Amino acid sequence: TLRVRGDTPSAFAPSRNHPAPLPAGKDISGLKSIVGAAGIVLDDSPTATPRKAIRFFRVQKEILPAFLASEKGTLIKGVDVTRLVTDENRRITGAEITLSDGRKKTARAKIFVVACGGIESPRLLLFSRSERFPNGIGNSNDMVGRFFNEHPAVNFYADIRHTRSTLAPSNDIGRTHQFQEEFRKQGLGSALFVFRQAWLLPHHNMPIKLSNIPRNLAAILWRLRRATLYIGATIEMKLSNANRVILSKDQFDCFGNPIAHLLFDFSQEDLKTLDLCRESIREIYRKIGATNIHEAPVSWSRHHQGTCRMGDNLGSSVVDRNLRVHEVPNLYVCGSEVFVTGGAMQPLLTIAALAHRLADQLTDVLPLQPQG
């Protein structure tokens, strides 16, 4: 469905049982040669591919039309789910929805799936309190919202000499996993290093905007003289049940429900991992003779993970291995919020795999559900 492109992975990359459905879409041999001088082994980035080359991959254009054309689903737009309603048997009987004009309705189904992300999914469960779930749905053991984690990243830019490949107008981008074992031996989280060499268009995943060129003309002219090499690293954070999503006590959304309040901080291990990434990046630059090295602020990947974690133990998890909420027979959660660890990798393909797995399972389960 995603039409993922990718090359044969190196020995450092996560293994695959089968090759990517489509071959790699871009030759990054020039970038591999540049950083290879520092002993870095790059892999290309598995990338979802649109069916028309002139477009970027968009779910609403690549996947949604097939869903709308099928007889297995109905898309309802312009509504917000403002509460899940339960009965005395701990089943979800409906989802309260609020229309754009303020009217409230109830959507009923045999099975419900919450897939609102690592912040909004626990928020919905927490404020859907009832007599059976006074602390929120699935939260009898105070696990909903805990173990929030993200992918913070250090970011560096430096100048390198031009080669034949560095004057291409678009980006070369590659990643390496080769530091993972070294970091783990030191008791730290893993790290994913990203390398991007850009000349005219600095952001590989953004639409081309010619209006940006005049504003960035000075930088473009400088890159005619010296190429820019970006190196960044996202890290795996140490899990902490103190990093969590709770409900705000004094701020509410337009429907009167408490907004999410995030309690979140770095551990000492996280800070050490980030520092080790900085040291490693500066050493790479030194080995390839880069100059004018600049560190940008730490950034965030917007990968909200771990707040409805999966597990067999009701006391330490929210959903079981099939993504069903332990305490509710007809409620499932799907997304990066069920991750037990965030690792250092982007979560999208794992989320997609979990969604396909859950869809296949529900196809088998639904005929067995009682009517009514």
Side-chain angles (χ1 to χ4, degrees):
T1 302
L2 298 179
R3 290 168 46 85
V4 175
R5 289 190 175 276
D7 207 344
T8 303
S10 73
F12 298 109
S15 60
R16 296 183 59 98
N17 293 329
H18 306 285
L22 297 174
K26 187 169 177 55
D27 178 12
I28 62 169
S29 58
L31 181 59
K32 287 182 176 181
S33 176
I34 292 170
V35 300
I40 301 300
V41 178
L42 289 189
D43 288 285
D44 68 337
S45 300
T47 306
T49 308
R51 296 185 182 278
K52 293 184 178 179
I54 60 173
R55 290 191 287 113
F56 293 86
F57 190 94
R58 296 288 184 267
V59 170
Q60 65 269 30
K61 293 183 179 294
E62 301 292 332
I63 297 176
L64 190 58
F67 172 81
L68 295 175
S70 75
E71 298 178 353
K72 297 182 179 180
T74 301
L75 176 66
I76 302 175
K77 299 186 294 183
V79 302
D80 291 273
V81 175
T82 48
R83 190 169 299 274
L84 296 176
V85 182
T86 59
D87 63 13
E88 65 278 4
N89 297 317
R90 294 180 168 240
R91 296 179 62 85
I92 305 297
T93 60
E96 177 189 274
I97 59 177
T98 302
L99 282 64
S100 57
D101 60 6
R103 289 181 298 150
K104 295 185 181 296
K105 301 282 186 178
T106 299
R108 303 194 182 277
K110 296 176 181 177
I111 289 178
F112 294 80
V113 179
V114 174
C116 303
I119 293 180
E120 287 300 309
S121 285
R123 173 176 174 255
L124 176 61
L125 297 181
L126 288 172
F127 71 60
S128 294
R129 298 188 179 100
S130 66
E131 182 178 351
R132 293 288 180 179
F133 296 106
N135 298 317
I137 294 175
N139 196 38
S140 296
N141 292 291
D142 194 27
M143 288 301 298
V144 172
R146 290 191 181 272
F147 295 100
F148 178 89
N149 64 96
E150 241 269 22
H151 286 148
V154 294
N155 305 278
F156 284 81
Y157 298 84
D159 294 339
I160 59 174
R161 292 182 178 180
H162 275 297
T163 66
R164 181 176 297 180
S165 65
T166 57
L167 285 173
S170 61
N171 279 32
D172 285 344
I173 181 170
R175 293 176 166 87
T176 186
H177 305 262
Q178 71 188 77
F179 291 88
Q180 177 171 309
E181 291 303 318
E182 175 188 342
F183 281 32
R184 288 199 180 280
K185 288 178 181 178
Q186 300 184 46
L188 304 175
S190 62
L192 176 64
F193 283 67
V194 181
F195 299 77
R196 183 180 303 145
Q197 193 282 305
W199 176 56
L200 180 62
L201 306 172
H203 300 295
H204 79 289
N205 57 350
M206 297 295 289
I208 297 172
K209 292 184 178 181
L210 296 180
S211 60
N212 287 341
I213 293 179
R215 186 176 59 190
N216 298 327
L217 184 58
I220 292 170
L221 292 175
W222 172 255
R223 287 196 290 270
L224 282 171
R225 182 179 176 185
R226 297 281 286 183
T228 298
L229 176 65
Y230 163 87
I231 307 178
T234 58
I235 71 162
E236 173 186 9
M237 297 188 68
K238 182 179 180 180
L239 295 178
S240 169
N241 65 7
N243 287 339
R244 64 185 301 193
V245 173
I246 62 174
L247 297 178
S248 173
K249 296 180 179 180
D250 54 11
Q251 296 187 57
F252 304 87
D253 64 16
C254 59
F255 305 109
N257 290 316
I259 66 171
H261 181 67
L262 181 62
L263 304 176
F264 185 61
D265 199 2
F266 286 123
S267 68
Q268 289 301 309
E269 289 83 355
D270 298 333
L271 296 176
K272 289 179 181 178
T273 305
L274 291 170
D275 282 342
L276 187 54
C277 288
R278 292 184 176 99
E279 294 174 12
S280 302
I281 290 172
R282 290 186 180 277
E283 179 64 10
I284 294 170
Y285 279 137
R286 185 191 67 78
K287 288 181 177 179
I288 63 176
T291 59
N292 194 25
I293 300 170
H294 167 69
E295 181 179 0
V298 169
S299 62
W300 298 94
S301 304
R302 300 181 297 278
H303 299 160
H304 303 153
Q305 306 168 130
T307 50
C308 298
R309 65 196 329 239
M310 183 193 304
D312 293 330
N313 188 336
L314 175 63
S316 60
S317 59
V318 177
V319 302
D320 65 18
R321 62 181 60 199
N322 294 316
L323 306 185
R324 184 180 67 81
V325 176
H326 287 299
E327 304 174 73
V328 187
N330 67 332
L331 177 63
Y332 294 78
V333 177
C334 188
S336 56
E337 55 266 46
V338 307
F339 287 8
V340 177
T341 174
M345 281 289 292
Q346 297 91 341
L348 178 57
L349 292 182
T350 304
I351 294 172
L354 288 172
H356 278 287
R357 178 174 173 266
L358 179 58
D360 290 341
Q361 178 189 339
L362 294 184
T363 299
D364 296 333
V365 170
L366 274 170
L368 302 179
Q369 296 294 312
Q371 298 294 320

